[in-house]
Amino acid sequence: MKQEEKSMASKGRVLEAAASLFIRKGYEETTMQDIMEESGLSKGAIYHHFAGKQEILSTMIADAQMKVNTFFQEMEENTELTVKEKISRIIRYFFDNKNQSMLIRNRWVEKVPYALVDTVRNGNAFIAPRVAGIIKQGNENGEFRCDFPEELAEALLLLLDVWLDPVITDRTADEICRRLEFIFRLLESFGTQLFGPEDMEAMKRMYAGYAAEGDMKNGRN
């Protein structure tokens, strides 16, 4: 194995070990010593790649963002699925994404400077145009009619990524579900029913699950 490949492999081991620990123990309770023991690497090897725990988390966020961007591009370019099938795939992608769940549960936007700003910028620059492209496909194949695909895509991302983010808003599960219902009704009023009943329920379970964890941590019933 070449030196560059070895370096990438050891870096991957650090990220994998840290992700496992963040899921089991939480970000705050995980130490660099824990990561060293979990990864089986020396202290020097770990610090060769990362200055500390926050840089490890920053790298995880960047990796997750890159994977999300790739996924949305693949969905836009897919010619075999209907738009509603693409939307369902997107929802399932986030519902089943363990790393994404881990980042949310560890309140990533509070840990890394400018993380939220970077995420919103990436959403507007890359993901929103992909979503707009998918909505335009729905217009073309007659699944629905949307006169403002770019604007709707950007608004949806802000609503789902910021307005409903359980770390930013600290809402209860019931409050999250009510706001999701508002989004669904809003789409209906525009004649753009992107989400089917199963999609709605999956999103409610996902967001409400995060909110319920926040309720327990904050002593709310």
Side-chain angles (χ1 to χ4, degrees):
M1 187 183 291
K2 295 179 181 179
Q3 184 59 40
E4 184 178 349
E5 292 175 341
K6 289 182 179 179
S7 179
M8 290 298 293
S10 63
K11 185 176 181 179
R13 283 172 62 183
V14 175
L15 292 172
E16 186 178 344
S20 177
L21 287 163
F22 292 166
I23 291 171
R24 298 199 317 264
K25 299 182 63 174
Y27 177 84
E28 300 294 350
E29 297 301 319
T30 297
T31 66
M32 290 298 285
Q33 179 67 29
D34 292 332
I35 296 172
M36 183 183 76
E37 294 173 0
E38 183 83 8
S39 66
L41 295 171
S42 67
K43 183 177 180 180
I46 292 177
Y47 280 102
H48 173 73
H49 296 293
F50 304 101
K53 191 169 64 169
Q54 189 179 78
E55 187 175 351
I56 291 174
L57 184 62
S58 297
T59 302
M60 288 179 179
I61 293 169
D63 287 350
Q65 190 177 83
M66 182 176 64
K67 290 175 181 175
V68 167
N69 288 353
T70 300
F71 175 74
F72 270 90
Q73 184 170 348
E74 290 173 351
M75 283 294 98
E76 183 188 18
E77 294 173 354
N78 188 299
T79 58
E80 298 178 358
L81 300 173
T82 67
V83 167
K84 290 186 177 180
E85 287 171 340
K86 290 181 181 185
I87 297 298
S88 292
R89 288 273 183 99
I90 290 170
I91 292 170
R92 287 203 303 273
Y93 174 82
F94 286 103
F95 192 79
D96 297 331
N97 193 319
K98 292 182 180 179
N99 281 339
Q100 199 80 14
S101 297
M102 178 273 293
L103 291 173
I104 292 172
R105 288 186 170 92
N106 283 283
R107 305 180 73 85
W108 62 277
V109 295
E110 296 177 347
K111 308 294 191 300
V112 179
Y114 309 113
L116 180 59
V117 173
D118 288 343
T119 297
V120 172
R121 283 176 177 165
N122 178 71
N124 280 328
F126 192 89
I127 297 178
R130 307 286 85 75
V131 174
I134 292 172
I135 294 173
K136 289 176 184 177
Q137 292 166 10
N139 283 342
E140 291 167 3
N141 63 27
E143 288 187 62
F144 44 72
R145 181 66 199 169
C146 178
D147 295 326
F148 302 96
E150 289 89 357
E151 293 80 3
L152 179 59
E154 292 174 5
L156 265 179
L157 282 180
L158 286 174
L159 289 171
L160 297 175
D161 245 4
V162 179
W163 192 49
L164 290 187
D165 190 304
V167 178
I168 297 170
T169 58
D170 194 27
R171 301 191 195 281
T172 66
D174 286 343
E175 288 170 340
I176 289 284
C177 287
R178 182 174 174 80
R179 280 155 181 78
L180 274 170
E181 191 65 39
F182 167 79
I183 293 173
F184 302 147
R185 298 283 182 87
L186 187 65
L187 290 173
E188 286 180 356
S189 71
F190 278 102
T192 311
Q193 293 174 297
L194 293 177
F195 308 112
E198 292 183 0
D199 299 329
M200 295 182 195
E201 290 307 311
M203 292 176 71
K204 285 181 179 180
R205 288 198 304 273
M206 179 173 62
Y207 278 97
Y210 296 138
E213 289 183 8
D215 290 348
M216 288 188 288
K217 287 180 181 178
N218 293 319
R220 294 192 297 251
N221 295 318

